[in-house]
Amino acid sequence: MRLRSPARTVSATDVSSHDLVPVRWYEPTPIGPTAAGPTLLWLHGGGFFRGGLDQPEAHAVAQSLARHGMTVATVDYRLAPPPGLSWMKTRAGLSRGRFPLPLNDVLAAYRKVRARSPQGVILGGASAGACLAAAATLRATDEGLPPVGAVLAYGFFHARHQRTDDVQQRARGHRRITHSVWGLNAMNRNYAGSEAVLANRFAFPGGHDLHRFPRTLSINAEKDNMRASGDTFALELSTYGVDVQHHVLQGTHHAFLNRPGHDAFATAVSLIAKWSLCG
C-alpha cells in the first residue's frame, strides 16, 4: 500500500500568507514545467490548543509527501487556550483564540495558497486539524472557492463524542484517560467557547448538510476513542453522495502521524500521495 519514495530534495520555506498567519511551503525539487497536481494545505492536530509547524504531524508529514512529488503547505493557525487556562499564551508569546479565530486563519491561508495553485487545493489535516479542514472546506465552498478534495486523518467532527460499544476500538494506556469521552467533550467545549457554538456547522461539521463536499480520503486509527466520530463522518459523507475512500489502519492508535518511524506513518503518507496525485 506504500508508494516508492523518489529521491528528491525537499525545500521548506516560511512565508506570511495573510497578516500574521505563517504558512510553510514544502516543494519537491527540481521544480519544472512538468510539475502538476493540487497543493495540499495540511493542518496539524493538538486538540485545538497545542501543536505547531515543527511537530512531526505537520513537518514530517509534509516533508514525506513532498518526497512523493506533492506540493504541501502547512499553517500555524491560532490555538485556543488550554482548558481552564484562558490566560496562557503560546510558547512564542502569541495570543490565543477560540472559534472562529483558528478557522479564520485557515481560510486566510487557504485563499493565498489557492491563488498560487493552478491545479487547485486539497484541504487536509489530522485530529483537530481534520475538523478544521472539514470546516474550512464548508466555508470555502460557501464562498465560491471550493477545494478539489479533502484528506481527513483520525479526525473528530461532532460536537459531542460518543462512547463506542466495541472495546477493541477504544484507546489503551494513558490515552484511556486523556482521551476519555468526558475529556474529549470538554476539549470541544473549550474550543467552541459556549454551548451555542457547538451546534455551528463551521465549528463541528458532523451531523450537518454535506452534499457539496468534495471527494474525500478518510484514514482512521483502529484503537482510538475518536474513531466513532471519524467513521460516522465518513458514513455521513457517503450518504450525501460524496466520493469517499475510507480506511481504518489495523493496530494503530491516535496520532500515529506523530511517529515517522512507524509503519502506519508510511502507509498513511502513501495513501495520501496516491489518492491526491492519481485522483
Side-chain angles (χ1 to χ4, degrees), residues 193-211:
S194 72
E195 286 290 328
V197 171
L198 288 172
N200 191 310
R201 64 192 282 262
F202 296 134
F204 297 99
H208 295 281
D209 188 341
L210 303 170
H211 80 278

Side-chain angles (χ1 to χ4, degrees), residues 50 170-184 223-226 252-256 258-259 262:
R50 61 185 177 184
R170 296 179 188 170
R172 304 291 178 87
H174 75 282
R175 292 191 186 276
R176 180 174 59 86
I177 299 174
T178 60
H179 287 185
S180 65
V181 171
W182 177 89
L184 295 175
K223 300 177 180 180
D224 182 359
N225 287 354
M226 301 181 207
T252 56
H253 299 269
H254 191 78
F256 59 77
N258 269 319
R259 302 171 179 82
H262 286 205

Side-chain angles (χ1 to χ4, degrees), residues 83-104:
L85 299 172
S86 59
W87 50 267
M88 183 176 289
K89 294 186 177 182
T90 65
R91 288 183 181 179
L94 301 176
S95 61
R96 293 175 176 264
R98 294 185 170 89
F99 175 86
L101 298 181
L103 181 61
N104 291 344

Side-chain angles (χ1 to χ4, degrees), residues 30-168:
I31 304 286
T34 59
T39 299
L40 174 64
L41 183 60
W42 181 254
L43 311 176
H44 67 80
F48 301 113
F49 67 91
R50 61 185 177 184
L53 297 182
D54 293 327
Q55 75 182 81
E57 198 173 65
H59 177 67
V61 170
Q63 197 170 50
S64 298
L65 288 170
R67 290 196 182 103
H68 282 294
M70 292 187 65
T71 299
V72 184
T74 59
V75 185
D76 203 14
Y77 57 85
R78 268 174 290 188
L79 301 174
L85 299 172
S86 59
W87 50 267
M88 183 176 289
K89 294 186 177 182
T90 65
R91 288 183 181 179
L94 301 176
S95 61
R96 293 175 176 264
R98 294 185 170 89
F99 175 86
L101 298 181
L103 181 61
N104 291 344
D105 289 348
V106 172
L107 264 293
Y110 172 77
R111 296 183 193 104
K112 290 293 184 178
V113 170
R114 188 176 185 272
R116 57 178 283 187
S117 303
Q119 301 299 318
V121 178
I122 295 171
L123 268 164
S127 193
C131 182
L132 281 168
T137 296
L138 293 181
R139 259 189 59 179
T141 300
D142 283 0
E143 294 177 7
L145 302 172
V148 298
V151 174
L152 310 173
Y154 46 81
F156 53 93
F157 310 93
H158 300 83
R160 291 177 174 82
H161 291 263
Q162 297 180 354
R163 186 181 302 277
T164 177
D165 293 330
D166 186 350
V167 295
Q168 296 301 318

